Amino acid sequence: TLTNSGVTIANGAHITYDKDNKSFGIMIETPPPTPPSEDPVEQSVVDIEVYSDEILKRFIICPNLLFYRDGITPDVQIKYKIGYDSITGRISVPWYSLDGQLCGVMGRINRREVSEDETKWFPIIPFPKSKTLYGYMENYNSIQEKSAVMVGESEKHSLQLASKGLN
């Protein structure tokens, strides 16, 4: 079903498109929450190295103008511990495992234009991205309440949604 904001596809999934921000997302209806003892996150043990949040002290935790211009409010940037890495000159974006422990930090070049020989996103503290989902723990309660998840292209998608109150 086509609507002004996107397309509804099978099984309750809805693809959205925001022409102002030139971004898209997918919203998938999930089954009702399971009791805590049957929670799949609690049952699954993912082998992933984790770190103390103390490691984030190496970064300057502060809102970033580039992210602000991309629709990510300062309060959301602080909530998600967005910062600046003075060693690499990149915006620091902490990632958390499915059980809420710091597992890595991605760094984004702190400017809009990126040359062909540069990598826009680069791991400052490497981790297996395929074993976690950005913003999952920060939005876990909302996911359980609404029985829905919106999945988008990058970390910034989650941050932009949170800035619009869609977490």
Side-chain angles (χ1 to χ4, degrees):
T1 306
L2 181 61
T3 66
N4 289 337
S5 63
V7 178
T8 300
I9 56 177
N11 298 325
H14 185 78
I15 299 174
T16 60
Y17 178 69
D18 183 340
K19 65 182 177 186
D20 295 330
N21 291 320
K22 296 181 182 168
S23 65
F24 73 94
I26 300 172
M27 186 162 99
I28 303 169
E29 295 295 327
T30 60
T34 56
S37 61
E38 297 175 22
D39 190 327
V41 174
E42 291 179 15
Q43 289 179 357
S44 66
V45 176
V46 177
D47 185 26
I48 189 168
E49 187 173 357
V50 295
Y51 306 91
S52 164
D53 273 4
E54 290 291 312
I55 204 165
L56 295 178
K57 288 183 178 179
R58 97 171 227 205
F59 308 110
I60 302 165
I61 306 299
C62 63
N64 177 277
L65 186 58
L66 179 66
F67 275 24
Y68 178 73
R69 288 181 176 153
D70 286 339
I72 304 167
T73 60
D75 61 315
V76 167
Q77 292 186 49
I78 290 169
K79 174 184 175 186
Y80 284 77
K81 302 176 185 169
I82 304 302
Y84 179 73
D85 181 16
S86 61
I87 295 170
T88 65
R90 291 175 176 267
I91 302 166
S92 60
V93 181
W95 274 64
Y96 290 85
S97 64
L98 296 177
D99 61 358
Q101 298 181 67
L102 180 67
C103 63
V105 177
M106 289 299 292
R108 191 210 186 276
I109 286 183
N110 194 16
R111 62 181 184 281
R112 186 139 337 266
E113 300 301 321
V114 180
S115 68
E116 287 183 21
D117 61 330
E118 294 178 302
T119 304
K120 188 184 290 188
W121 288 93
F122 187 81
I124 298 171
I125 298 175
F127 64 102
K129 287 178 87 172
S130 64
K131 293 188 177 185
T132 190
L133 182 62
Y134 186 79
Y136 178 79
M137 283 311 301
E138 292 86 348
N139 294 293
Y140 180 79
N141 290 335
S142 179
I143 292 167
Q144 295 302 309
E145 280 176 24
K146 297 174 182 168
S147 296
V149 174
M150 292 184 75
V151 179
E153 179 187 358
S154 70
E155 297 91 338
K156 288 173 68 176
H157 181 262
S158 293
L159 299 168
Q160 290 166 332
L161 289 175
S163 294
K164 294 178 180 180
L166 299 173
N167 44 351

